[in-house]
Amino acid sequence: MIKTAIVWFKTDLRITDNETLVKALEKSECIIPIYCVDESHFKETKYGFKKTGSFRAQFLLEALEDLKNSLEKLGSTLVILKGKPETEIPKIVKEFKVQKVYAKKEIAFEEKKTEQKVQEELFKLKCEFEAISTSTLYHAEDLPFSIKTIPDVFTDFRKKTEKESKIRPCIAQPTQIKSPVLPQTKIPTITELGLELTPLDSRSVLQFKGGEKEALNRLNHFFYETKALGTYKETRNGLVGADYSSKFSPWLALGCISARTIYFEVKKYETLFGSNSSTYWLIFELMWRDYFRFMFKKHQTKFFISSGIKENKKMNTNTNATLIADWINGNTSSDFINANMIELKLTGFMSNRGRQNVASYFCNELNLDWRIGTAYFEQQLIDYDVSSNWGNWAYIAGVGNDPRGHRFFNIEKQANEYDKKMEYRNLWLK
Ligand SMILES: Cc1cc2nc3c(=O)[nH]c(=O)nc-3n(C[C@H](O)[C@H](O)[C@H](O)COP(=O)(O)OP(=O)(O)OC[C@H]3O[C@@H](n4cnc5c(N)ncnc54)[C@H](O)[C@@H]3O)c2cc1C
């Protein structure tokens, strides 16, 4: 038994189905829950956009507040550290004679690099480190493939995985947490992060609020209050309103809810109200989320280079600032693109249908370097998730996992099909 361990929260801001937290509690007498506010997450990237914009930052701060409250109810708290994890975590290790640090396992390049740096510093202090995979529906070890042999075509991955792999049960939340006397720390304000709170636009699909409690409220609303889950497959290409799709993405991105929790709740819903193609389709979409994560594990940094996972494919390198600004501000020649881009700018959210269209427009009609559009999404999206964002963009740019090679959306046709009555365009353009 270890005397004191740290639980380093990152994008797993929940206490239910959090294996990292539960494992640390099982193996140690007391734990120190920490979160590191790393300034570099709020700086500009090489593409000239912020790494985190105000919508996601605000959502993150709310999620931290909620996690802190939950931990306090269990007898502990959340220690907020400000600075680089590799500098700040060792300070706590020294002060509290911590023997082991538990954290969520990372898959993307920058996050893995930080994980490594922390590990190196801990090694010098003879402090152990364990990273645990907690963000996917299927555990990587339970897949019918090794990471290297996961097919580059989603359908091949899905069919075999559905047939041969099982989803592990959720892990119950702890009932009590023992911690040493910990310093009272403050969650920063959005201004302290160098950002400004953007007032909520009344046309926003939802008043997103960060935290596990809000994630569960949203699940309850979508599954039970409205039973919108039962018609999800028919409504999921919608553009207006809260319930055409689940809107789980911001909570999933920060780990306020686990994909497994959603899965088992779908199973419960199916027992109560029956299964249909809609209940299945939500799980199907969660498998896409898993897939991009596993693709990141397989191809690593390739998703950040111009040719993506397509060796040496020549791509547009155009960085025309006027075209980019017109796309961002909704000043293009397409009213459908403009409506979507204005929604993103003013709310931090855009439907999946919208995302596909604006990404295709950026790559295929404006012929710009796809990574610039991706980086703008990274700043702006309330639900930004490294693998889902870069993976989907690469897919549309024709350098990712699209078996067709290159998808070209006919924007006018899409607008006529999905916004026949101009309801969406009128909402954002008038
Ligand atoms: C260019 C582009 C960029 C995107 N960037 C992101 C991103 O940064 N973060 C993000 O979470 N999703 C991203 N998506 C995927 C998808 O658009 C959003 O997950 C979805 O619109 C969120 O709304 P929802 O929660 O109501 O989805 P629902 O339709 O209710 O789906 C349920 C969940 O399934 C997952 N999911 C659905 N579609 C996809 C998909 N295509 N890829 C991966 N996971 C999916 C999400 O976790 C989602 O919350 C992107 C898609 C495109 C085309």
Side-chain angles (χ1 to χ4, degrees):
M1 192 79 158
I2 289 165
K3 193 158 184 327
T4 310
I6 282 178
V7 176
W8 175 20
F9 284 93
K10 291 183 279 182
T11 47
D12 54 348
L13 305 178
R14 62 176 183 271
I15 55 167
T16 305
D17 196 27
N18 191 332
E19 195 179 337
T20 314
L21 172 64
V22 170
K23 199 158 184 194
L25 285 168
E26 278 169 5
K27 305 272 180 200
S28 11
E29 282 172 27
C30 58
I31 63 150
I32 306 175
I34 63 161
Y35 182 87
C36 224
V37 180
D38 184 346
E39 267 181 13
S40 67
H41 291 179
F42 304 91
K43 293 261 154 71
E44 260 184 27
T45 65
K46 65 175 176 182
Y47 295 104
F49 303 110
K50 290 249 183 193
K51 196 163 169 53
T52 310
S54 66
F55 294 111
R56 195 162 71 259
Q58 182 58 26
F59 192 86
L60 166 69
L61 299 180
E62 291 159 358
L64 291 175
E65 194 68 59
D66 182 65
L67 178 65
K68 192 164 185 254
N69 287 339
S70 301
L71 292 167
E72 281 171 0
K73 280 188 193 138
L74 295 173
S76 184
T77 188
L78 182 66
V79 178
I80 305 286
L81 308 173
K82 288 168 196 146
K84 296 244 157 277
E86 62 270 27
T87 315
E88 298 308 316
I89 296 177
K91 288 185 193 162
I92 300 285
V93 167
K94 279 191 223 156
E95 189 181 338
F96 289 90
K97 300 195 173 54
V98 171
Q99 290 161 284
K100 187 159 177 174
V101 174
Y102 290 88
K104 167 185 175 269
K105 198 177 207 154
E106 298 297 348
I107 41 156
F109 178 70
E110 277 177 20
E111 290 77 3
K112 260 174 61 182
K113 214 164 77 185
T114 306
E115 189 179 286
Q116 262 167 16
K117 282 187 196 161
V118 169
Q119 218 171 334
E120 280 162 22
E121 291 308 312
L122 294 180
F123 184 74
K124 292 180 197 160
L125 299 173
K126 297 195 173 60
C127 177
E128 285 180 66
F129 181 82
E130 186 176 343
I132 301 164
S133 298
T134 58
S135 62
T136 47
L137 195 54
Y138 288 92
H139 200 286
E141 284 167 15
D142 302 337
L143 294 178
F145 317 95
S146 67
I147 292 297
K148 270 196 184 145
T149 60
I150 295 181
D152 283 333
V153 175
F154 171 70
T155 311
D156 300 342
F157 159 81
R158 178 183 58 79
K159 285 190 176 157
K160 199 166 161 67
T161 303
E162 281 176 336
K163 215 191 233 164
E164 296 178 25
S165 301
K166 266 215 153 87
I167 294 166
R168 297 184 186 184
C170 285
I171 293 171
Q173 69 171 69
T175 49
Q176 196 189 342
I177 300 179
K178 247 182 100 182
S179 293
V181 180
L182 296 172
Q184 279 301 319
T185 50
K186 267 189 147 172
I187 295 167
T189 61
I190 193 142
T191 332
E192 283 165 351
L193 299 177
L195 296 160
E196 268 174 44
L197 185 64
T198 314
L200 186 79
D201 190 290
S202 60
R203 296 166 291 182
S204 178
V205 284
L206 201 69
Q207 213 174 326
F208 289 104
K209 193 165 191 295
E212 185 170 11
K213 198 164 68 226
E214 291 294 331
L216 295 172
N217 285 344
R218 176 64 197 164
L219 187 141
N220 192 48
H221 173 88
F222 192 71
F223 283 22
Y224 302 112
E225 284 172 9
T226 59
K227 296 208 177 63
L229 173 62
T231 52
Y232 167 71
K233 187 150 186 255
E234 290 83 60
T235 60
R236 57 181 279 277
N237 279 311
L239 301 164
V240 180
D243 296 333
Y244 62 80
S245 66
S246 74
K247 311 294 185 302
F248 291 156
S249 53
W251 290 285
L252 277 165
L254 280 187
C256 300
I257 191 166
S258 74
R260 284 198 304 221
T261 300
I262 298 172
Y263 172 83
F264 286 107
E265 207 59 45
V266 171
K267 293 290 135 193
K268 186 173 144 196
Y269 178 99
E270 288 177 337
T271 324
L272 291 170
F273 308 111
S275 60
N276 62 20
S277 56
S278 286
T279 57
Y280 166 70
W281 214 261
L282 193 77
I283 298 165
F284 174 96
E285 293 299 345
L286 289 175
M287 285 193 76
W288 265 112
R289 178 177 174 274
D290 267 21
Y291 185 63
F292 284 124
R293 283 177 148 68
F294 295 134
M295 281 297 105
F296 256 64
K297 257 180 125 132
K298 178 177 175 181
H299 295 292
Q300 303 187 13
T301 48
K302 286 199 182 151
F303 280 101
F304 302 112
I305 58 176
S306 175
S307 56
I309 64 169
K310 308 281 180 203
E311 217 67 30
N312 301 326
K313 185 166 174 182
K314 277 266 164 293
M315 295 299 292
N316 291 318
T317 49
N318 187 358
T319 58
N320 185 307
T322 313
L323 289 179
I324 295 167
D326 285 347
W327 178 76
I328 287 175
N329 295 314
N331 286 328
T332 72
S333 58
S334 161
D335 57 357
F336 189 58
I337 298 301
N338 295 344
N340 276 289
M341 292 308 294
I342 291 170
E343 181 187 10
L344 178 63
K345 190 176 176 190
L346 299 183
T347 73
F349 191 83
M350 188 194 290
S351 68
N352 185 56
R353 183 56 46 190
R355 293 180 203 202
Q356 289 176 320
N357 275 278
V358 303
S360 174
Y361 189 83
F362 191 90
C363 302
N364 301 316
E365 310 213 7
L366 300 179
N367 297 313
L368 293 163
D369 181 334
W370 66 276
R371 295 169 301 166
I372 301 171
T374 317
Y376 175 65
F377 266 38
E378 175 166 351
Q379 167 186 283
Q380 206 62 17
L381 281 176
I382 192 165
D383 63 15
Y384 169 74
D385 170 295
V386 57
S387 5
S388 292
N389 193 50
W390 287 82
N392 271 294
W393 267 92
Y395 187 101
I396 287 172
V399 293
N401 298 92
D402 187 356
R404 275 207 252 155
H406 204 155
R407 208 159 284 245
F408 199 104
F409 282 77
N410 180 332
I411 309 293
E412 207 159 310
K413 199 162 156 244
Q414 290 268 315
N416 289 335
E417 191 173 341
Y418 296 102
D419 190 30
K420 222 179 268 164
K421 295 184 186 149
M422 301 275 298
E423 192 193 351
Y424 179 69
R425 279 166 286 179
N426 285 338
L427 181 68
W428 290 102
L429 301 177
K430 281 211 165 149

